[in-house]
Amino acid sequence: MSYDENGRAVVLGAGIAGLLTARVLSEHYDEVVVVERDELPDRPDHRRFVPQSHHAHGLLGSGREVLVALFPGFSAEMEAAGAITAASSGPEMGDRSIFVVRGGTTIRIPIWWTGGFCASRVLIEHAVRARVRALPNVTIRDRTPALGLLTSASRRLVTGVRTPDGELGADLVVDASGRRSALPEWLEEIGYRPPPESAVHSDVRYASLVTEPDPDFAPEWLIVLGAQAAGGASVGGVVLSIENGLLHISLGTTGGRAPLPTAIDELRAVADRTTAPVTAEALRRSTPVGPVRTFHVRTNVRRYYDRMSEMPAGLVALGDAASASNPIYGQGMSVAALSAVALGRLLTAEDGAVRPGFERRAARAIAATSSGAWRLALGEDLRYGCRTEGVRTPLSVRFDAGYRNRLERAAALDPEVAMAFNDVLNLHRPLSSLGSPRIARRVLRPLRDRNPAVLSETVVAVLGLS
């Protein structure tokens, strides 16, 4: 490959990560080819190899910003397709996002601060795919799985991928194929050690369904997040208003609990035990429009491509292929968006040319965009006692549980704490920002006269002073 010419880029996977990567690369390559093993529908619909699409997905505020920036007019297109947007809801919609934390504490957040589109994953993906298909230098080949890497004779340079249709040459290959990525095995096949990994065995189970609200049911909320089971058990509920007036309801468990029921009456009984009565109310006052779907994710993996001792040129991984945290926290689409933008930003900084060492710089940039989400999810998983392997747990990851509980309670009463908390949840700011002196003072203020020892220990832990 000539480092002064960017002829063709090949992207593996046509999910959100692959599509946004193709959009970014279209500004730097003469040709971008996306290869996808699945058959892609010509309308918003589920795909065979994406079973998780049947479950509630969140587009965080950071992800929404990327989509709007990459695709001007995207909000209007979503509204035309039936999604709920700021324009369609009007200026009086107010704080219609409800975040229910441990103990039943409710935090109200302006809905558009949390993401901005009330829509299903399949509608968002369909709208993005249509935009990417329209790019003149991008081709999407479905039913075309990548089978392995092509390399130079020295194996120091990736030159493309093998497919059932033959060899597909490339100046850059980007793996955006998701959490089941085969890239570590392919690297071993060409003589490289796979990247170091961290694994969290969160053992997440979902039960989800789409419902149509009863005619007399007009809830004040559009989104209900994080409704925990009474008594602190690791069962949570999510209700999302999606396109065409429907509700997407998901109940999930973490930490190896028994599978959730698929019978609607039994699922309602589970919802009755959560700390957000609106979750159960949504199930009672709406009619299913399809079956209850279940899904099981045993392990979440972060692959440290930025720490590989040796890596071939011409290869990058991002999205869930690089860092797949617990899906119950709804970070996946937004992390993919941020990683794609980081890749594009690096290309722009290097005048659009892939120069020696680009792959390592890209791996570091992508790792930086996904590390915050991974740490945030890891901190929650550790609270549930999930087993880990190869996981580093500094203070910023363990994040004192007592402080987190106080933070959540303070966010329900203090708008500044709520906004800081939401900034972190939406991946606008790092987890460490919640331990800043200003926020810590506001979170811990009620404790000063009651238990100075707890205050001292908590400040030390949160601010990393020990």
Side-chain angles (χ1 to χ4, degrees), residues 196-282:
E197 293 184 353
S198 291
V200 181
H201 303 288
S202 55
D203 203 12
V204 175
R205 297 177 185 270
Y206 284 117
S208 302
L209 72 163
V210 175
T211 68
E212 182 176 2
D214 296 342
D216 62 343
F217 182 42
E220 62 172 343
W221 43 262
L222 289 173
I223 296 178
V224 181
L225 301 172
Q228 299 293 322
S234 56
V235 179
V238 173
V239 185
L240 303 180
S241 299
I242 60 172
E243 60 269 18
N244 303 319
L246 300 176
L247 299 178
H248 203 157
I249 304 172
S250 288
L251 295 173
T253 69
T254 295
R257 293 175 62 90
L260 289 163
T262 57
I264 187 64
D265 289 342
E266 295 177 12
L267 204 60
R268 286 175 178 141
V270 173
D272 282 333
R273 295 196 294 272
T274 67
T275 55
V278 292
T279 306
E281 182 186 28

Side-chain angles (χ1 to χ4, degrees), residues 18 21 79 91 103 121 127 135 152 163 210 220 232 252 318 334 347 349 375 381 414 453:
T21 299
E79 181 184 345
R121 175 331 198 335
L135 296 172
S152 61
T163 76
V210 175
E220 62 172 343
L318 55 71
S334 298
L347 282 166
R375 290 178 179 179
D381 287 341
D414 187 328

Side-chain angles (χ1 to χ4, degrees), residues 382-394:
L382 292 175
R383 296 175 85 186
Y384 291 119
C386 296
R387 186 169 59 87
T388 65
E389 294 178 35
V391 169
R392 299 179 179 181
T393 55

Side-chain angles (χ1 to χ4, degrees), residues 50-102:
V50 190
Q52 67 269 27
S53 68
H54 289 281
H55 307 279
H57 277 63
L59 181 65
L60 304 180
S62 54
R64 174 190 175 275
E65 290 179 358
V66 170
L67 264 61
V68 170
L70 292 178
F71 305 111
F74 192 79
S75 290
E77 289 185 9
M78 293 294 291
E79 181 184 345
I84 303 172
T85 67
S88 64
S89 294
E92 305 301 325
M93 66 176 307
D95 298 348
R96 298 186 65 185
S97 176
I98 301 175
F99 182 33
V100 184
V101 297
R102 284 169 179 78

Side-chain angles (χ1 to χ4, degrees), residues 375 378-380 382-383 392-402 404 431 461 466:
R375 290 178 179 179
L378 174 60
E380 279 296 288
L382 292 175
R383 296 175 85 186
R392 299 179 179 181
T393 55
L395 286 173
S396 61
V397 171
R398 288 189 281 113
F399 201 72
D400 179 73
R404 174 63 183 263
L431 178 63
S466 62

